């Protein structure tokens, strides 16, 4: 790779790393798995940087790569054998008091609510609201029509609005 492309790739990695990891977490990966998925995605970006950098919609192209990496890893025996019923401990980062506990409760409620969605609906919600892709970019990343993105979002948001985990946060009233 020539120095200009190398610099452009390095800038892209620095800019996109946090959102790729966050997207992978909201798509169902644990934090350390999300980092591995983001890294694998970025390695694939590096090997195909000419295609990635020349894509009409680079973000949609890269998030499609992330989804493909996630699908690939979920096909492995390792993923199927992992224990879902053992919660991963939350690392302590020096935050004490009710604010930290509240942040953890909110994060847990959001993860549980997202886990209750079907995979296609969760993918749309994560890419649209957490990654902040446009409807068109989300459609391109998932390989579906924009109208399907809208209908899945509508169903997913209705499901989330009635989710017990999120209702508990709001005091149980709608």
């Amino acid at each position: 790779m020539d120095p200009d492309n190398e610099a452009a790739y390095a800038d892209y990695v620095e800019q996109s790393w946090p959102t790729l990891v966050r997207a992978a977490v909201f798509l169902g990966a644990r934090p350390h798995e999300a980092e591995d998925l983001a890294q694998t995605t970025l390695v694939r970006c590096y090997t195909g940087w000419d295609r990635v950098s020349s894509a009409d919609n680079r973000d949609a192209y890269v998030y499609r790569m992330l989804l493909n990496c996630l699908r690939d890893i979920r096909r492995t025996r390792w993923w199927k054998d992992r224990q879902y019923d053992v919660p991963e401990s939350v690392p302590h980062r020096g935050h004490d008091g009710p604010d930290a506990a509240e942040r953890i409760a909110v994060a847990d409620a959001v993860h549980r609510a997202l886990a209750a969605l079907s995979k296609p609906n969760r993918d749309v919600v994560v890419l649209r609201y957490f990654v902040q892709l446009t409807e068109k970019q989300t459609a391109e990343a998932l390989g579906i029509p924009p109208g399907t993105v809208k209908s899945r979002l509508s169903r997913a948001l209705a499901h989330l609005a009635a989710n017990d985990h999120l209702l508990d946060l709001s005091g149980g009233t709608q």
Side-chain angles (χ1 to χ4, degrees):
M1 187 181 288
D2 65 61
D4 289 338
N5 279 340
E6 187 87 32
Y9 171 76
D11 289 342
Y12 182 75
V13 168
E14 188 174 328
Q15 165 203 337
S16 64
W17 175 259
T19 57
L20 283 171
V21 172
R22 183 175 58 226
V25 167
F26 283 115
L27 290 169
R30 292 180 177 157
H32 66 279
E33 295 165 347
E35 289 179 355
D36 290 346
L37 284 166
Q39 184 174 10
T40 301
T41 301
L42 291 171
V43 166
R44 289 183 183 180
C45 284
Y46 182 83
T47 60
W49 185 246
D50 290 338
R51 287 185 313 276
V52 172
S53 62
S54 65
D56 290 337
N57 190 335
R58 182 170 58 185
D59 288 335
Y61 191 88
V62 172
Y63 282 103
R64 177 66 175 227
M65 292 172 79
L66 176 71
L67 288 167
N68 288 338
C69 288
L70 182 60
R71 287 182 188 121
D72 289 348
I73 194 74
R74 285 187 173 163
R75 289 184 188 122
T76 65
R77 181 173 172 83
W78 169 85
W79 184 276
K80 292 174 186 170
D81 288 345
R82 80 179 197 165
Q83 298 295 316
Y84 289 100
D85 56 345
V86 179
E88 187 169 284
S89 63
V90 177
H92 184 270
R93 297 176 188 223
H95 299 291
D96 295 317
D99 290 338
E102 187 174 330
R103 283 193 303 274
I104 291 170
V106 169
D108 182 58
V110 169
H111 283 284
R112 288 176 187 266
L114 287 173
L117 294 174
S118 68
K119 176 153 178 23
N121 288 351
R122 183 176 57 239
D123 291 349
V124 168
V125 168
V126 169
L127 292 178
R128 182 70 179 96
Y129 292 111
F130 291 98
V131 177
Q132 298 181 343
L133 295 181
T134 65
E135 286 175 355
K136 181 180 177 188
Q137 290 172 321
T138 301
E140 289 177 17
L142 296 172
I144 58 177
T148 303
V149 169
K150 290 178 185 180
S151 64
R152 286 182 185 175
L153 277 174
S154 176
R155 284 191 299 273
L157 292 176
H159 186 75
L160 290 172
N163 186 282
D164 291 339
H165 299 293
L166 297 178
L167 287 176
D168 288 346
L169 293 175
S170 66
T173 57
Q174 290 185 329

